[in-house]
Amino acid sequence: QVQLVESGGGAVQPGGSLRLSCTSSRKIFSFDPMGWYRQAPGKERELVAGFSSCGSTSYAEYVKGRFTISRDTAENTVNLQMYSLKPEDTAVYLCYGRLRELDYWGQGTQVTVSS
């Protein structure tokens, strides 16, 4: 059974930072792609950042320069370091991975940016 479990969400003020982690029950290099999406109330789910199996990264334009995705193959985690958070970053952040043409999602972790 494939499980993706997120952690690290919370509430911060604008300009603050958070680090999200996604722990996988499978080796993370098995997934292609793997990364983070987010979904705000009333909005479509959107890609934030991701890895391909070869290790290349991609970022949504609205997070470039503020968010950094990384992975730890020993710990089977994919992390999202978020800096300079804005109120519009408020959303549920979900870990995502595709394995053998099947899509897997974590349960999500809430990030709230508010003064």
Side-chain angles (χ1 to χ4, degrees), residues 7-80:
S7 61
V12 294
Q13 294 186 339
S17 303
L18 281 174
R19 180 179 174 86
L20 307 182
S21 290
C22 171
T23 301
S24 169
S25 60
R26 297 287 185 93
K27 298 291 186 184
I28 58 173
F29 55 70
S30 300
F31 295 90
D32 184 16
M34 188 171 191
W36 290 90
Y37 279 70
R38 71 186 187 187
Q39 188 163 22
K43 293 190 176 181
E44 298 280 325
R45 190 171 291 184
E46 57 186 8
L47 175 69
V48 177
F51 274 107
S52 68
S53 60
C54 66
S56 63
T57 56
S58 60
Y59 292 91
E61 281 297 322
Y62 48 80
V63 304
K64 283 183 179 177
R66 299 190 298 124
F67 293 9
T68 302
I69 191 170
S70 63
R71 62 185 184 180
D72 184 332
T73 55
E75 297 292 328
N76 286 324
T77 58
V78 175
N79 305 305
L80 186 68

